[in-house]
């Protein structure tokens, strides 16, 4: 009798199967759209990376297993491209955009309203420019006959073709200029949530400006710092238009980051399978960066 009662109770808590299906029916169009427009391209790209598919010429293709990945990891060009990608990401995103965005947010926090409006307009104006337009602007500034060389010549200094002598540094500076606005907006929003009473109490206790910054303010916005670092890192890893417009990966592949190298292999040399494998490797690198940031954030929370 008791068994029958318990079984009846469990049955009363569960919704009948037809009712559950009816409640999930409105989600069916969204699920179908996700499968068609997101799931299918991803699965197709993964499959392509394990084939010898060519862009033109050959009528068929074959499954080659991990040959494309083995070819990549034993290629000197791939090693150079991976190192350039990491250098470009560290210089322009982790150091450049992140630090400059925080500095601007801190300065604007205590700045006059007019100054904040002017700085915000300039920085955000650079952010909304398309990558191609920003690339042409910086080419006009840093190129052989650019404005910077005109200024150097005017003060008696030798001119330099910055896009030829230091291409990865040139594209990193351009990416800092274009992408700092995102970090500044994230940090401005985070700093506005820091209670001024806590900072004032630290000041009354004798903490100086730097002590208040590193012991009070930054720890309170660490979640925003980790989120911003993850987002700008993933965005910078996939930068293509800016670099392609300024240097096309040259000279001698000295600014060919992984997106540029994958594009060259897939669409210039027609090796679509190998190019897709390189894109998957880039995706894995982005996943590793994300895991590192999330792990660092959890460690920070467990220690606090």
């Amino acid at each position: 009798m008791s068994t029958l009662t318990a079984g009846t109770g469990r049955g009363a808590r569960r919704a009948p199967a037809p009712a559950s299906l009816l409640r999930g029916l409105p989600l069916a169009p969204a699920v179908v759209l996700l499968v068609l427009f997101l799931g299918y391209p991803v699965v197709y790209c993964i499959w392509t990376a394990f084939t010898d598919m060519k862009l033109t010429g050959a009528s068929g293709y074959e499954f080659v297993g991990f040959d494309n990945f083995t070819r990549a990891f034993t290629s000197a060009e791939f090693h150079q491209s991976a190192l350039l990608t990491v250098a470009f990401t560290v210089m322009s995103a982790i150091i450049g955009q992140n630090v400059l965005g925080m500095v601007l947010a801190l300065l604007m926090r205590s700045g006059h309203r007019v100054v904040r409006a002017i700085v915000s307009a300039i920085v955000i104006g650079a952010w909304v420019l398309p990558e191609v337009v920003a690339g042409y602007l910086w080419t006009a500034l840093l190129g052989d006959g650019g404005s910077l060389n005109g200024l150097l010549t005017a003060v008696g200094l030798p001119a330099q073709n910055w896009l030829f002598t230091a291409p990865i540094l040139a594209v990193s500076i351009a990416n800092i200029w274009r992408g700092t606005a995102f970090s500044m907006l994230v940090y401005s929003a985070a700093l506005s949530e820091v209670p001024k009473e806590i900072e004032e109490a630290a000041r009354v206790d004798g903490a100086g400006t730097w002590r208040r910054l590193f012991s009070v303010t930054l720890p309170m916005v660490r979640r925003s710092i980790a989120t911003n670092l993850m987002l700008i890192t993933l965005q910078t890893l996939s930068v293509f238009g800016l670099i392609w417009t300024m240097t096309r990966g040259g000279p001698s592949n000295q600014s060919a980051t992984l997106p540029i190298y994958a594009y060259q292999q897939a669409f210039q040399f027609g090796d679509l399978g190998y190019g897709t494998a390189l894109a998957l490797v880039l995706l894995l690198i982005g996943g590793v960066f994300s895991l590192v940031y999330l792990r660092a954030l959890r460690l920070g929370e467990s220690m606090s």
Side-chain angles (χ1 to χ4, degrees), residues 49 57 77 98 153 156 208 219 285 294:
E77 291 182 343
N98 181 54
T153 305
I285 293 175
L294 292 174

Side-chain angles (χ1 to χ4, degrees), residues 67-287:
D67 286 359
N68 287 328
F69 297 94
T70 304
R71 174 184 168 188
F73 290 119
T74 56
S75 167
E77 291 182 343
F78 171 80
H79 295 160
Q80 179 185 6
S81 181
L83 289 175
L84 287 172
T85 303
V86 173
F88 175 68
T89 303
V90 171
M91 280 194 294
S92 65
I94 298 175
I95 297 176
Q97 294 179 10
N98 181 54
V99 174
L100 187 57
M102 176 61 79
V103 170
L104 287 174
L106 289 169
L107 292 176
M108 290 177 62
R109 190 185 186 199
S110 56
H112 191 273
R113 184 173 57 183
V114 176
V115 176
R116 291 203 301 268
I118 294 174
V119 174
S120 297
I122 295 173
V123 177
I124 295 176
W127 185 41
V128 299
L129 282 178
E131 283 187 353
V132 174
V133 176
Y136 278 119
L137 287 176
W138 279 90
T139 301
L141 176 66
L142 301 177
D144 193 19
S147 305
L148 182 58
N149 281 335
L151 293 174
L152 292 176
T153 305
V155 298
L157 295 175
Q160 293 285 333
N161 187 348
W162 302 100
L163 301 180
F164 184 82
T165 56
I168 195 65
L169 179 62
V171 297
S172 296
I173 293 173
N175 194 48
I176 293 171
W177 175 81
R178 183 177 179 274
T180 297
F182 181 82
S183 297
M184 185 193 72
L185 293 174
V186 170
Y187 291 144
S188 295
L191 291 173
S192 66
E193 300 295 327
V194 177
K196 291 188 179 298
E197 294 80 6
I198 297 178
E199 294 180 313
E200 183 63 22
R203 190 186 67 80
V204 171
D205 289 341
T209 302
W210 294 108
R211 181 69 181 274
R212 293 200 304 275
L213 174 63
F214 288 103
S215 300
V216 178
T217 306
L218 292 184
M220 296 188 72
V221 299
R222 62 180 181 276
R223 293 183 64 86
S224 297
I225 294 174
T227 303
N228 178 65
L229 280 171
M230 183 169 63
L231 293 177
I232 63 175
T233 297
L234 295 178
Q235 192 274 335
T236 302
L237 283 173
S238 61
V239 168
F240 174 82
L242 184 70
I243 301 175
W244 185 258
T245 304
M246 293 180 66
T247 65
R248 293 183 179 270
S252 301
N253 289 331
Q254 292 183 36
S255 60
T257 57
L258 278 177
I260 301 291
Y261 183 56
Y263 173 83
Q264 290 173 337
Q265 297 298 321
F267 297 105
Q268 290 189 332
F269 303 142
D271 200 343
L272 201 57
Y274 183 53
T276 309
L278 294 173
L280 284 183
V281 173
L282 180 62
L283 180 64
L284 291 177
I285 293 175

